[in-house]
């Protein structure tokens, strides 16, 4: 007995019944994919003025993701939680000393007996298990707050170029916020950037500046983000590829040029005696260390180890 299957006519959009013993293949639709049918981004100007437009601008590019760290606030919260934990800890130690002084060693040696005690000593407003539970919540809250503060401190500040871009947008348009709501942008020392890959940030900025001076054409996707001629968007993938090519070319130059210079010295027969050989090695070692410092986040001992190798 043959089973019955269902096929879909892609042109008419209606299902047709087919016999499973003679399956029907799906046919390719006559509709072709064009650039005009591709989804486009919503322009900034289509968002209402105020926070909707400003949030759209800040999220439209990684360079504009600039926000406050609120470092004094987190420090205040840490101090408050730390002080509260210290007071609860002192109260716990006082309870232990009271039981020890009253020779109630059972409550110090057994958690079950301590939780089941009928009468609390004079001056206690809660039992030790309840106090420890409260201390546990404070400890978790304090540890979470401490780690979150450490993560915020690890975030990089925005570059001067990114900060000026956001500042100029907010001062000229910026969704037309009230003065109190837009005051955060002037707290430059407390601002952080969520832009990933900060190692080549300054090189990316130089490339974007060169593209802007050369009046290079933007891609369709970047042009669709805004009609404002003063706002320029660039394809991050292409910028990263260009930066990688530049770094690769510099590394190849550092490998080839000193070898070529020393080879010329060897042809002249002065490679062993000429002080120029030492100067060449020293100069390119210094350049190599400078490139490591500029393009990577290598620490001092890593740079020393790489230059020594």
């Amino acid at each position: 007995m043959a089973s019955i299957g269902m096929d879909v006519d892609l042109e008419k959009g209606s299902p047709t019944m087919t016999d499973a013993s003679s399956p029907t293949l799906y046919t390719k639709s006559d509709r072709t994919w064009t650039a005009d049918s591709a989804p486009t981004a919503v322009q900034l100007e289509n968002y209402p003025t105020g926070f909707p437009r400003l949030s759209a601008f800040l999220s439209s590019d990684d360079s504009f993701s600039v926000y406050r760290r609120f470092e004094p606030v987190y420090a205040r919260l840490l101090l408050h939680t730390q002080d509260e934990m210290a007071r609860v800890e002192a109260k716990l130690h006082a309870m232990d000393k009271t039981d020890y002084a009253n020779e109630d060693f059972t409550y110090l040696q057994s958690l079950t007996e301590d939780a089941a005690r009928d009468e609390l000593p004079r001056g206690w407003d809660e039992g030790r298990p309840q106090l420890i539970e409260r201390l546990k919540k404070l400890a978790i809250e304090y540890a979470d707050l401490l780690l979150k503060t450490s993560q915020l401190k690890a975030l990089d500040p925005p570059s001067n170029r990114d900060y000026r871009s956001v500042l100029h947008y907010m001062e000229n348009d910026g969704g037309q916020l009230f003065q109190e709501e837009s005051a955060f942008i002037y707290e430059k020392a407390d601002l952080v950037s969520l832009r990933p890959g900060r190692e080549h940030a300054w090189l990316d900025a130089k490339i974007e500046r060169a593209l802007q001076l050369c009046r290079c054409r933007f891609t369709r996707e970047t042009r669709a983000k805004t009609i404002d001629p003063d706002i320029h968007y660039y394809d991050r993938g292409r910028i990263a590829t260009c930066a990688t090519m530049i770094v690769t070319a510099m590394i190849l130059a550092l490998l080839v040029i000193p070898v070529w210079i020393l080879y010329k010295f060897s042809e002249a027969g002065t490679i062993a005696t000429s002080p120029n050989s030492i100067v060449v090695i020293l100069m390119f070692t210094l350049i190599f260390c400078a490139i490591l410092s500029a393009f990577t986040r290598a620490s001092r001992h890593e740079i020393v180890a790489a230059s020594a190798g």
Side-chain angles (χ1 to χ4, degrees):
M1 181 176 179
S3 60
I4 303 299
M6 180 178 289
D7 193 9
V8 178
D9 191 335
L10 294 180
E11 291 197 34
K12 297 181 180 180
S14 58
T16 58
M17 305 305 293
T18 61
D19 193 335
S21 60
S22 57
T24 302
L25 299 178
Y26 290 107
T27 58
K28 185 182 295 185
S29 175
D30 294 334
R31 183 179 301 173
T32 57
W33 182 267
T34 62
D36 294 334
S37 60
T40 57
V42 180
Q43 291 182 350
L44 292 177
E45 290 74 18
N46 292 336
Y47 287 91
T49 58
F51 279 103
R53 183 173 298 182
L54 178 60
S55 60
F57 173 77
L58 295 178
S59 61
S60 63
D61 192 88
D62 293 339
S63 301
F64 304 148
S65 299
V66 177
Y67 305 94
R68 280 197 64 183
R69 182 189 280 119
F70 287 102
E71 190 170 0
V73 176
Y74 276 90
R76 183 68 177 269
L77 293 175
L78 282 172
L79 288 175
H80 178 81
T81 310
Q82 175 183 267
D83 181 71
E84 190 174 359
M85 279 189 64
R87 286 187 278 108
V88 174
E89 181 189 26
K91 188 174 181 181
L92 178 63
H93 291 331
M95 287 182 174
D96 296 339
K97 292 180 180 179
T98 300
D99 282 339
Y100 186 80
N102 295 336
E103 297 184 355
D104 293 330
F105 304 120
T106 303
Y107 302 131
L108 296 175
Q109 298 171 351
S110 173
L111 296 178
T112 304
E113 293 294 332
D114 189 29
R117 68 195 305 171
D118 298 329
E119 185 177 356
L120 296 177
R122 184 177 180 180
W124 289 21
D125 55 353
E126 59 182 337
R128 191 176 7 246
Q130 291 76 24
L131 183 67
I132 292 178
E133 186 67 24
R134 186 154 60 95
L135 183 61
K136 175 184 175 181
K137 294 180 179 179
L138 284 173
I140 295 176
E141 178 184 352
Y142 180 76
D144 183 67
L145 189 61
L146 198 65
L147 293 176
K148 289 291 188 291
T149 305
S150 176
Q151 293 174 1
L152 285 174
K153 280 183 170 293
L155 294 176
D156 293 317
S159 64
N160 292 329
R161 186 173 185 271
D162 295 343
Y163 172 74
R164 289 196 303 268
S165 297
V166 178
L167 177 64
H168 293 166
Y169 178 78
M170 293 187 63
E171 289 182 340
N172 296 327
D173 182 42
Q176 301 176 2
L177 299 182
F178 287 173
Q179 185 176 0
E180 293 81 4
E181 278 76 8
S182 61
F184 78 92
I185 195 61
Y186 299 105
E187 301 286 343
K188 185 179 180 181
D190 196 44
L191 295 178
V192 296
S193 175
L194 302 184
R195 179 177 180 177
R198 297 290 298 170
E199 293 184 355
H200 298 164
W202 70 271
L203 182 58
D204 295 351
K206 295 297 182 182
I207 295 174
E208 292 176 6
R209 181 61 178 170
L211 293 175
Q212 186 176 354
L213 293 176
C214 296
R215 299 185 181 274
C216 295
R217 295 183 59 187
F218 307 118
T219 62
R220 179 182 180 88
E221 291 77 10
T222 55
R223 290 198 308 267
K225 289 185 177 182
T226 182
I227 59 176
D228 192 336
D230 295 327
I231 301 178
H232 305 284
Y233 289 100
Y234 301 94
D235 191 320
R236 288 296 161 194
R238 297 183 181 182
I239 294 294
T241 301
C242 184
T244 302
M245 293 175 61
I246 292 176
V247 174
T248 304
M250 295 177 65
I251 293 175
L252 290 176
L254 286 175
L255 292 175
V256 173
I257 293 178
V259 174
W260 180 82
I261 295 176
L262 294 177
Y263 172 74
K264 290 298 182 180
F265 287 162
S266 66
E267 285 186 337
T270 59
I271 189 172
T273 59
S274 175
N276 295 332
S277 302
I278 300 177
V279 174
V280 170
I281 296 174
L282 179 61
M283 180 179 65
F284 279 91
T285 302
L286 293 176
I287 296 175
F288 177 74
C289 294
I291 291 178
L292 283 181
S293 301
F295 289 94
T296 68
R297 296 186 178 184
S299 58
R300 294 186 181 92
H301 67 276
E302 291 174 339
I303 295 177
V304 172
S307 60

